[in-house]
């Protein structure tokens, strides 16, 4: 089974083609370029350089976030636009799952953290049990101090952090736990190859998402929605 997998949930734009358990090719840009401009060119470049045609692809994997509202919409729209005319299956995988999978078979808690601004992070807690990655919590948008309290409640001695928020909070996290590890910098962005491998596992089990219903994970309102809510609240208060 060959799949195209893409992640555009953060400033990083990444695309991969994975065949069963073999990575055929991967492109990662992490310099804040516009995903709407570069994502299709990444896919075209991979197909061309690998001597493949879009009809050779058996399925499509896309990140469902959490992350950038605009980036997630671009990724979803791109994959839906490719999969629908081909009548090929689509599976959406969380970018947090893919980040945790970057640290396969680590001991203790694995904690991916993506910057959600204002000292908040998108996160979930994971742990390996044998060869299976277990999600210990729901996906969350949470203040970094609350995350530290939550991890301490788990009473695990070893914690590994990974994600684009690591540089921002590294010192604080290092001083908060006795046995703290950090992923190397090249793993701190979501890798489309990790996303693709997780997606293939799901597709081989017969899982797939409804192409018309699948949507990103939005753990909080967009800035535009928050500004609108604030405006409505101010109008309501003024009328009272």
């Amino acid at each position: 089974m060959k799949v195209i997998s893409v992640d555009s949930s953060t400033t990083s734009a990444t695309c991969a083609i994975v065949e069963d358990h073999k990575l055929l090719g991967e492109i990662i840009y992490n310099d804040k370029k516009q995903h709407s401009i570069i994502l299709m060119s990444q896919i075209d470049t991979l197909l061309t350089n690998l001597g493949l045609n879009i009809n050779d692809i058996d399925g499509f994997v896309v990140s469902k976030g959490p992350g950038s509202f605009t980036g997630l919409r671009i990724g979803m729209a791109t994959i839906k636009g490719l999969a629908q005319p081909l009548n090929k299956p689509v599976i959406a995988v969380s970018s947090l799952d893919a980040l945790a999978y970057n640290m396969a078979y680590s001991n203790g808690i694995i904690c991916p953290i993506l910057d959600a601004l204002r000292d908040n992070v998108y996160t979930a807690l994971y742990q390996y049990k044998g060869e299976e990655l277990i999600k210990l919590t729901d996906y969350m948008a949470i203040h970094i101090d609350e995350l530290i309290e939550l991890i301490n409640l788990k009473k695990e001695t070893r914690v590994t952090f990974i994600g684009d928020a690591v540089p921002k909070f590294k010192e604080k996290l290092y001083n908060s736990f006795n046995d703290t590890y950090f992923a190397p910098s090249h793993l701190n962005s979501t890798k489309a190859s990790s996303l693709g491998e997780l997606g293939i596992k799901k597709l081989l089990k017969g899982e797939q998402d409804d192409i018309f219903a699948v949507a990103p994970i939005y753990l909080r309102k967009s800035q535009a929605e928050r500004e609108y809510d604030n405006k409505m609240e101010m109008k309501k208060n003024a009328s009272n």
Side-chain angles (χ1 to χ4, degrees), residues 40-196:
M40 276 305 303
S41 68
Q42 287 181 308
I43 294 171
D44 287 339
T45 297
L46 279 175
L47 288 170
T48 300
N49 289 346
L50 292 170
L52 296 173
N53 185 286
I54 193 67
N55 293 298
D56 297 321
I57 301 303
D58 301 303
F60 295 86
V61 185
V62 62
S63 170
K64 60 182 178 181
S68 160
F69 287 72
T70 302
L72 287 168
R73 291 191 193 101
I74 290 169
M76 283 280 179
T78 300
I79 287 304
K80 289 182 179 184
L82 291 171
Q84 186 177 355
L86 297 171
N87 196 28
K88 296 293 177 68
V90 170
I91 194 84
V93 177
S94 171
S95 46
L96 294 171
D97 294 355
L99 276 169
Y101 194 67
N102 284 356
M103 301 304 296
Y105 313 122
S106 295
N107 294 324
I109 288 176
I110 303 170
C111 182
I113 50 174
L114 296 173
D115 191 5
L117 305 178
R118 298 183 178 87
D119 287 342
N120 294 298
V121 293
Y122 297 121
T123 188
L125 303 183
Y126 299 80
Q127 194 167 39
Y128 267 92
K129 300 247 179 113
E131 295 186 355
E132 187 175 0
L133 180 64
I134 305 297
K135 186 157 67 78
L136 303 176
T137 68
D138 290 334
Y139 304 120
M140 301 175 284
I142 191 172
H143 192 278
I144 191 65
D145 291 336
E146 293 180 76
L147 176 60
I148 290 169
E149 291 178 12
L150 177 63
I151 294 173
N152 279 324
L153 289 174
K154 296 292 182 181
K155 300 187 184 302
E156 278 284 346
T157 57
R158 177 176 174 133
V159 187
T160 301
F161 292 95
I162 183 171
D164 66 11
V166 165
K168 184 175 182 179
F169 298 113
K170 188 171 185 177
E171 183 177 356
K172 185 182 189 73
L173 293 169
Y174 182 80
N175 292 328
S176 298
F177 305 100
N178 293 326
D179 197 9
T180 313
Y181 294 82
F182 299 95
S185 59
H186 71 281
L187 294 179
N188 276 331
S189 59
T190 308
K191 297 174 73 66
S193 50
S194 293
L195 203 74

Side-chain angles (χ1 to χ4, degrees), residues 202-233:
K202 291 178 178 291
L203 289 169
L204 289 175
K205 291 178 182 177
E207 299 178 32
Q208 69 178 76
D209 288 307
D210 182 338
I211 193 171
F212 299 106
V214 65
I217 300 170
Y218 294 133
L219 295 180
R220 58 177 185 151
K221 294 181 179 180
S222 69
Q223 182 177 350
E225 289 172 316
R226 294 195 299 271
E227 289 176 353
Y228 176 80
D229 287 347
N230 289 338
K231 186 177 180 180
M232 292 300 100
E233 185 65 25

